[in-house]
Amino acid sequence: MKDYIEERAVEIAEYIIETKATVRQTAKKFGISKSTVHKDCTERLLQINPSLAAEARKVLDVNKQERHIRGGLATREKYLHQHG
C-alpha cells in the first residue's frame, strides 16, 4: 500500500474519533468519496493499526445507529422552514 494512503487512513480515523464525525462529514472535509472513507476505516486501517481501526469503528457504528434520527430531524427542519 502507498504511504500516502496509509497516512490518510490514519488521519481519517483520528479525525472521526476526535470529532465524532460521520462518513459524509469526513468525506467532505478530506475531499474524498464516502466509499473511500469507509474503505480506509474498515479495510486499510485494520492492516495498519487495528486498535485505531476498532476505535473509529465504534464511532461509525454509533453514527450508523443514529442515522435515522438525524435524517428525521433534517426532514422536520426542512418542512418547518417551508411552511413557516
Side-chain angles (χ1 to χ4, degrees):
M1 198 178 327
K2 303 260 190 264
D3 288 343
Y4 74 92
I5 294 176
E6 291 184 11
E7 287 172 26
R8 182 187 67 207
V10 171
E11 271 185 63
I12 285 171
E14 288 171 347
Y15 176 75
I16 288 172
I17 293 163
E18 286 169 22
T19 63
K20 306 277 190 260
T22 62
V23 169
R24 182 171 286 188
Q25 290 165 335
T26 306
K28 193 171 185 179
K29 166 100 168 94
F30 286 85
I32 55 179
S33 71
K34 292 185 299 182
S35 54
T36 302
V37 171
H38 196 264
K39 188 168 184 136
D40 280 357
C41 287
T42 55
E43 295 174 25
R44 295 180 177 127
L45 202 57
L46 271 176
Q47 297 170 350
I48 305 163
N49 186 336
S51 62
L52 189 63
E55 275 189 72
R57 181 87 244 175
K58 282 183 205 165
V59 176
L60 292 177
D61 286 344
V62 169
N63 285 343
K64 190 173 183 181
Q65 290 169 352
E66 294 174 352
R67 180 172 58 191
H68 67 285
I69 297 168
R70 276 194 308 275
L73 291 174
T75 303
R76 179 173 183 264
E77 202 54 33
K78 174 183 165 186
Y79 285 105
L80 281 174
H81 290 298
Q82 279 184 354
H83 302 296

